Every structure is written in structure tokens, then in C-alpha cells.
Amino acid sequence: MTAPAILPSRGIADRLTALFWRYPRVLLALLLTPPLLWLGVVYLGSLAALLLQSFYSIDEFSGMVKEEFTLKTYGELLRAQNLDIILRTLLMSAAVTVGCALIAFPVAYYAARFARGRWKAVFYLGVMLPLWSSYLVKVYAWKLILAKEGIITWAADALHLSMVLNAVLAIPGIGGNSLSTSWIGTFLVFVYIWLPYMILPMQAALERVPTSMLEASADLGASRSQTFRTVIFPLAMPGIIAGSIFTFSLTMGDYIIPQIVGTSARFIGLAVYQLQGTAGNIPLAAAFAVVPIVIMLIYLTIAKRQGAFDAL
């Protein structure tokens, strides 16, 4: 007579494994609950609180927040000084996005079409390396580079190009006493900081351009410029749109760079920081914070209607 097999007692891990195997929806619920709680409570909850605060107003006599729904705070955004802040931020965000796209395209094209093996690794390392260092350190380093006694001024003097630099700084609207106190300096730092966010999606889009289409274009007699206009650029557009979402939105919300480099004129991010911190006008700060959200929603809607996301 054969003795019955005696199985060792099962531990909690075995029991849970058996439970998840019999009821896979339990495992799915456990995996999805933490991120859904984070998204629903923390992320969307804070966004709802932001929107709620923007419909409150400040009592002009006591300076206290009046928790009564009103559009008065949004009306304050239409004041000349506030419209200037919004317009200035939009122009800088658009300029930074265009500047990043122009610089990123050749780099991304080279990486996508020609870089192989070790050089591909060097490309990723070069693009990602600035992201691994401190944001503040990079901004303050650029402050020193752009200062009147900085490297750029020294190089211009050494190359006898000081007249060119001074002529650029004398341009009304974008110049200043030095690069570190001018709009040009703010633009340069923004482009440097956000450039990787444009290169990477653009390179991913360019890698998806089939070589056969380029060969077909050449076989049909198209010149290099025609191939670029009719094949490469349209197929790279989803990557450009994806990169522009990062560069445009990040520039609109940044408040550190305009505080350190450039003129004393405020951007939306800096206005939000000062209104909620120094002035204590949380409703107006919340209304300012809603502006980039609305602008990006409009931008994404237009991009979607133009089919920019179809190839993503």
C-alpha cells in the first residue's frame, strides 16, 4: 500500500498566488487602485482646488479671500499689466519652441539617420547629460556665462566682436545692459534647459521615416529639398508637435529662469509665485495658473484637428 503524499503547508505567498490565479480581476484591482487614487485624489483634486480658488476673490479692505463664486478675478486678468504678462509669456514660449525646433532638427536627424552603435550611445549621453545635473546650478552657471564679465563678453573682446555684441544688446525690446539682463539671455537659457525635450521626440519620429520612401522620392527625381519638404518634414511633424508641447508648456510655467536671468519683467510663472507668496492674492494666482492650461488645451485641440497626433 502506497503512503499518501504529504504536501508541505503553503505559505501566504502561495495562497495569494492561487487567489490571483483564480480571480485575476482582484490582482488587476490591486494594481490599479494606487495609481488611480493618486491620479484622482492628488492630481485631479489639486487641479480642482486650483480651479475653485480662481473663482474666489480678494476683499479689498481686509485682504482676506472671499469664498463666493465670482468672475471678478478673471476680469482682473484683462487689466493692461496682466495682459502684458500673458502676452510676454506667450511670445517667449513661442520663440523658445521655434528656437529649440531649429536647433534640435539637425541633431535629431543625424542621430536618426546616420548615428550607429557607439555614436548612438554618445548621442543619448550628450542629450541626457544636462538633465542629470541640478536645474538651479545650470541656470546660475548661465548667469555667470552671460554676465558682463562672463565668457561670452570675454570671447567677443578677444575676437574683436564687441561692436557686434553691443549692437545686438542695443536692439530695443530684446537687448539690455548685458546678456544676463536682457531678453536674449532669458531666451538662450530657456532654449538650453528645454532643448533635450525637443530632440528626443523629434529623433524618435525621424527614426520611423522609412528609408524606402526616401529612395522612392529620389527615384522619382525629387531633389533633396523636395524630399525634405514633402517626405521628411511631414513625417517628422508628430515628433515636432510632441516636443513643442514640452517646450511651450514648460516655458509658460517656469518662474526660476525669469527671476535669475533677464529683465525684471514678469512671466506667468513668476506672477503666480509672487501673487501667492508675497501678495497673498491666491485667487488671482490661481486664475493666472489656469491661463497656461487653457492655452495648452486650445493648442492640443488645434494640433489634433490638424492630424498631428495620427502618427504618434
Side-chain angles (χ1 to χ4, degrees):
M1 184 175 179
T2 306
I6 301 175
L7 298 176
S9 59
R10 294 190 305 173
I12 185 68
D14 290 338
R15 291 176 183 175
L16 285 176
T17 302
L19 175 67
F20 294 151
W21 185 80
R22 286 196 300 269
Y23 304 102
R25 291 186 179 181
V26 174
L27 176 61
L28 183 63
L30 286 176
L31 290 175
L32 290 181
T33 298
L36 287 178
L37 281 175
W38 173 268
L39 184 66
V41 177
V42 179
Y43 185 75
L44 294 182
S46 61
L47 190 61
L50 171 72
L51 291 172
L52 184 66
Q53 290 285 339
S54 68
F55 288 103
Y56 293 160
S57 63
I58 283 286
D59 189 288
E60 295 178 358
F61 295 101
S62 64
M64 303 295 290
V65 176
K66 294 170 63 177
E67 297 182 354
E68 298 173 358
F69 283 92
T70 177
L71 293 176
K72 178 185 172 185
T73 306
Y74 281 100
E76 293 183 30
L77 292 178
L78 301 178
R79 291 180 180 175
Q81 65 270 26
N82 294 332
L83 280 178
D84 284 345
I85 294 173
I86 296 172
L87 182 61
R88 185 181 304 119
T89 307
L90 282 175
L91 289 175
M92 179 59 76
S93 302
V96 169
T97 299
V98 172
C100 286
L102 292 175
I103 297 173
F105 195 91
V107 179
Y109 186 78
Y110 172 80
R113 310 303 304 182
F114 301 107
R116 295 289 182 274
R118 183 175 58 184
W119 289 110
K120 183 79 93 178
V122 171
F123 161 76
Y124 283 115
L125 183 63
V127 173
M128 301 292 291
L129 193 60
L131 300 178
W132 299 341
S133 56
S134 168
Y135 173 91
L136 274 177
V137 170
K138 288 185 290 186
V139 176
Y140 274 108
W142 269 99
K143 177 78 173 176
L144 296 176
I145 292 171
L146 299 173
K148 214 163 192 174
E149 300 81 14
I151 297 173
I152 294 181
T153 305
W154 171 82
D157 290 338
L159 298 172
H160 305 289
L161 296 175
S162 299
M163 291 181 61
V164 177
L165 179 61
N166 293 331
V168 172
L169 291 175
I171 298 175
I174 62 172
N177 294 327
S178 69
L179 285 172
S180 64
T181 57
S182 67
W183 295 111
I184 303 173
T186 310
F187 169 79
L188 290 174
V189 179
F190 268 132
V191 169
Y192 170 78
I193 295 292
W194 306 137
L195 186 60
Y197 298 94
M198 177 66 83
I199 292 177
L200 293 176
M202 196 179 286
Q203 183 256 346
L206 286 168
E207 278 199 336
R208 289 199 293 269
V209 178
T211 309
S212 58
M213 295 189 71
L214 304 180
E215 294 172 349
S217 178
D219 292 342
L220 292 172
S223 63
R224 290 179 182 272
S225 60
Q226 286 175 320
T227 302
F228 175 79
R229 289 198 310 273
T230 58
V231 179
I232 298 175
F233 186 74
L235 293 177
M237 185 54 73
I240 298 173
I241 295 293
S244 68
I245 293 171
F246 290 115
T247 56
F248 196 84
S249 59
L250 289 171
T251 304
M252 276 199 301
D254 191 271
Y255 71 96
I256 296 177
I257 292 175
Q259 200 172 10
I260 298 174
V261 180
T263 67
S264 58
R266 295 192 294 177
F267 287 75
I268 288 179
L270 187 56
V272 171
Y273 173 74
Q274 292 176 345
L275 283 169
Q276 65 86 27
T278 308
N281 193 343
I282 294 178
L284 186 56
F288 262 116
V290 170
V291 173
I293 297 174
V294 173
I295 292 172
M296 288 309 300
L297 287 176
I298 295 172
Y299 179 72
L300 293 176
T301 302
I302 295 173
K304 188 175 185 300
R305 287 185 177 178
Q306 296 297 322
F309 301 139
D310 293 346
L312 286 179

